[in-house]
């Protein structure tokens, strides 16, 4: 080996190793900055809290939807129950009225009077029969020591109130008196001495009316 080769070898040994190839630089550091540790901890905590909050919101949304569905079902069931109850009540009243009419017809009693529940409750506004002029109606109410007109009262309501106070029906005629008894009736009962029914059915109107009173 000549002198030039020896010098080249020595010079090559004396040159520093590049940083990318230094073994000490490639090894991970044994020490971590406290700021980096704190930043990582805060990031992990924030991610954990976000996951918990997302899960809580999802549970609340699921619960809210369930409650809304249940409320809708309950509302539908309640409406159906009311509708069926109203229909059942109407059918029952119609059946009772039909049976009562048949019974009265069989016993020879007068037919049921017309219903005035809707008129008295104000649910319906019938056309007044035998109407009374407003001035005369006001005077009649004042003669009864009643207010001439209530707040918001119409002429029809005023007329209805007067007829109710005077004991008149919707047509302005005196209401039939209902006599108490096993079977309430508008026929006046006869005295006990006249309760014996004759074997012959009367043909005149007065006799038939008296017979109806005996049967009542």
């Amino acid at each position: 080996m000549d002198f030039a080769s020896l010098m080249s070898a020595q010079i090559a040994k004396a040159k520093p190793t590049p940083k990318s190839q230094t073994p000490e630089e490639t090894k991970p550091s044994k020490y971590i900055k406290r700021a980096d540790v704190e930043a990582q901890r805060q990031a992990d905590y924030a991610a954990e809290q976000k996951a918990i909050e997302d899960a809580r919101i999802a549970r609340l949304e699921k619960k809210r939807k369930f409650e809304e569905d249940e409320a809708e079902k309950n509302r539908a069931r309640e409406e159906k129950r009311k509708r069926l109850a109203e229909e059942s009540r109407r059918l029952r009243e119609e059946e009772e009225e039909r049976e009562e009419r048949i019974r009265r017809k069989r016993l020879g009693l007068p037919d049921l009077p017309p219903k005035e529940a809707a008129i008295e409750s104000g649910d319906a506004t019938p056309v007044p029969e035998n109407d009374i002029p407003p001035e005369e109606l006001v005077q009649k109410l004042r003669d009864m020591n009643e207010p001439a007109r209530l707040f918001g009262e119409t002429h029809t309501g005023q007329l209805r109130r007067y007829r109710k106070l005077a004991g008149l029906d919707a047509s302005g005629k005196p209401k039939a008196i209902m006599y108490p008894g096993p079977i309430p009736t508008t026929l006046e009962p006869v005295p006990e001495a006249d309760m014996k029914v004759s074997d012959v059915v009367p043909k005149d109107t007065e006799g038939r009316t008296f017979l109806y009173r005996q049967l009542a």
Side-chain angles (χ1 to χ4, degrees):
M1 181 178 293
D2 56 1
F3 180 75
S5 299
L6 292 174
M7 289 298 295
S8 297
Q10 292 298 324
I11 292 171
K13 290 180 181 181
K15 286 183 178 180
T17 306
K19 286 186 177 181
S20 59
Q21 298 178 1
T22 304
E24 290 78 4
E25 293 293 334
T26 58
K27 292 182 180 179
S29 177
K30 294 181 180 180
Y31 304 101
I32 302 175
K33 293 182 179 180
R34 183 175 297 177
D36 296 340
V37 175
E38 182 64 19
Q40 183 64 33
R41 187 188 67 79
Q42 291 181 1
D44 295 342
Y45 178 77
E48 182 182 359
Q49 292 300 314
K50 185 177 183 304
I52 294 174
E53 183 66 17
D54 292 343
R56 187 182 68 84
I57 293 175
R59 287 195 303 271
L60 291 177
E61 183 66 21
K62 185 177 180 181
K63 181 180 179 182
R64 183 187 62 80
K65 189 174 184 305
F66 175 77
E67 290 177 350
E68 289 180 354
D69 294 343
E70 285 297 316
E72 184 66 25
K73 291 179 182 178
N74 292 335
R75 184 162 53 251
R77 283 195 294 266
E78 184 66 18
E79 291 178 357
K80 183 178 180 181
R81 186 188 65 80
K82 289 182 179 179
R83 186 170 62 254
L84 292 177
E86 182 66 22
E87 182 68 16
S88 176
R89 183 188 63 81
R90 185 182 62 81
L91 293 176
R92 185 175 65 254
E93 290 179 354
E94 291 179 356
E95 181 66 19
E96 290 176 355
E97 183 179 356
R98 186 181 64 82
E99 292 178 356
E100 178 65 15
R101 291 183 184 278
I102 294 175
R103 186 186 68 83
R104 284 174 173 267
K105 185 176 181 180
R106 184 177 66 252
L107 296 176
L109 299 176
D111 199 3
L112 287 173
K115 288 187 176 181
E116 298 180 5
I119 298 176
E120 293 179 357
S121 62
D123 295 337
T125 306
V127 178
E129 298 181 13
N130 301 326
D131 196 7
I132 302 176
E135 297 80 6
E136 182 180 351
L137 182 58
V138 168
Q139 186 60 41
K140 288 179 178 294
L141 288 170
R142 285 176 177 170
D143 292 342
M144 300 172 69
N145 294 325
E146 292 291 334
R149 187 182 298 276
L150 300 178
F151 179 76
E153 188 178 40
T154 61
H155 175 71
T156 304
Q158 195 178 21
L159 181 61
R160 187 185 306 127
R161 180 164 59 92
Y162 164 72
R163 287 176 175 172
K164 186 176 181 180
L165 293 171
L168 305 177
D169 59 13
S171 61
K173 299 178 182 179
K175 287 186 177 180
I177 301 175
M178 295 296 295
Y179 293 94
I183 303 176
T185 177
T186 56
L187 296 174
E188 182 181 1
V190 297
E192 186 177 356
D194 298 333
M195 292 183 65
K196 185 177 180 180
V197 180
S198 175
D199 296 335
V200 181
V201 178
K203 297 182 179 180
D204 59 305
T205 305
E206 185 178 355
R208 285 181 176 273
T209 303
F210 186 77
L211 177 61
Y212 293 154
R213 290 175 57 192
Q214 288 178 315
L215 295 175

